[in-house]
Amino acid sequence: DGGITQSPKYLFRKEGQNVTLSCEQNLNHDAMYWYRQDPGQGLRLIYYSQIVNDFQKGDIAEGYSVSREKKESFPLTVTSAQKNPTAFYLCASSRVEEQFFGPGTRLTVL
Amino acid sequence: SQQGEEDPQALSIQEGENATMNCSYKTSINNLQWYRQNSGRGLVHLILIRSNEREKHSGRLRVTLDTSKKSSSLLITASRAADTASYFCATVPTGANNLFFGTGTRLTVIP
């Protein structure tokens, strides 16, 4: 899991609530990414950021929001607009081509 | 979608045997990467092969790339129980900065 931390490991949310997932890296990487993984599936890109104060939507950005105020941090907010938020969320960072992943946060909506 | 497809979806072998996983993709690429994921954990980068390369080795791993067929294979030789995991290919399409992941192959190595 390298120098990327995600918290919490498990998160439970009631329907209609927003929730923020934390991602911090100490690898001095410029680029950071958020992915969603559903059971038995590959990863789908939610948002990515190539540089501080800039971020771009990925394939499935609807219902999610991010910020990149510091190089080390890229928090993801899952809003109440996300219709099916229960999933495993993975954060990653990269310097050039290889991506380094955090351990993931498993979000369950009750 | 630019997502790739791995084949087979699941593979079960005896310890010591070789495991081969295949990946097909749809667009021209800059490079193709293979990642490993243990159950419930993050992904770990294994190997990267560029579009102008045909074969690459790293320890017990051998990756091939056929850009004319838009396919790649990952061979793990002399498998160990600790190799049990899901393996994903991911491509960086030409002109893109992001990775597009395949659906993964679940490998089980039986001791």
Side-chain angles (χ1 to χ4, degrees):
Chain A
D1 298 332
I4 300 181
T5 57
Q6 291 185 244
S7 61
K9 187 173 177 65
Y10 298 97
L11 189 56
F12 297 89
R13 187 194 95 175
K14 292 183 180 179
E15 278 194 30
Q17 288 182 336
N18 292 355
V19 64
T20 298
L21 282 59
S22 169
C23 177
E24 304 278 332
Q25 54 102 359
N26 62 4
L27 300 169
N28 199 32
H29 289 168
D30 287 317
M32 297 187 74
Y33 310 82
W34 273 105
Y35 294 93
R36 170 183 172 136
Q37 186 178 31
D38 292 285
Q41 299 296 313
L43 278 64
R44 291 184 290 168
L45 183 64
I46 304 172
Y47 268 98
Y48 64 100
S49 169
Q50 303 280 9
I51 197 168
V52 174
N53 292 323
D54 186 52
F55 49 82
Q56 308 294 330
K57 293 182 179 180
D59 295 330
I60 56 166
E62 185 175 351
Y64 300 97
S65 66
V66 294
S67 63
R68 186 87 186 276
E69 296 176 1
K70 298 186 300 181
K71 188 175 187 176
E72 301 80 15
S73 178
F74 191 40
L76 173 74
T77 296
V78 184
T79 74
S80 56
Q82 168 51 233
K83 299 273 187 280
N84 184 20
T86 294
F88 189 49
Y89 290 88
L90 287 159
C91 178
S93 70
S94 69
R95 182 174 55 85
V96 184
E97 293 161 317
E98 172 187 349
Q99 290 191 11
F100 294 81
F101 283 81
T105 291
R106 189 166 300 280
L107 173 64
T108 302
V109 175
L110 304 173
Chain B
S1 169
Q2 293 173 300
Q3 191 175 40
E5 294 284 335
E6 273 97 334
D7 171 58
Q9 289 188 338
L11 179 61
S12 185
I13 60 174
Q14 296 289 331
E15 200 165 32
E17 294 181 338
N18 295 342
T20 299
M21 289 158 266
N22 303 297
C23 169
S24 59
Y25 56 91
K26 298 176 183 176
T27 66
S28 62
I29 60 171
N30 286 330
N31 66 70
L32 184 146
Q33 303 176 36
W34 285 90
Y35 286 80
R36 165 195 169 124
Q37 183 182 35
N38 287 83
S39 183
R41 305 293 298 275
L43 278 70
V44 175
H45 182 267
L46 295 176
I47 196 166
L48 179 153
I49 187 165
R50 302 191 186 284
S51 60
N52 60 352
E53 297 175 311
R54 291 297 167 259
E55 187 171 313
K56 206 162 183 180
H57 297 254
S58 176
R60 292 184 296 113
L61 306 180
R62 172 180 169 249
V63 170
T64 61
L65 179 65
D66 186 336
T67 54
S68 66
K69 295 181 180 177
K70 293 187 171 58
S71 68
S72 174
S73 68
L74 171 67
L75 168 68
I76 303 175
T77 60
S79 64
R80 306 166 181 168
D83 294 329
T84 294
S86 291
Y87 292 83
F88 294 91
C89 70
T91 58
V92 178
T94 303
N97 292 321
N98 300 324
L99 281 173
F100 290 86
F101 283 84
T103 51
T105 292
R106 173 72 190 167
L107 173 65
T108 302
V109 181
I110 303 166

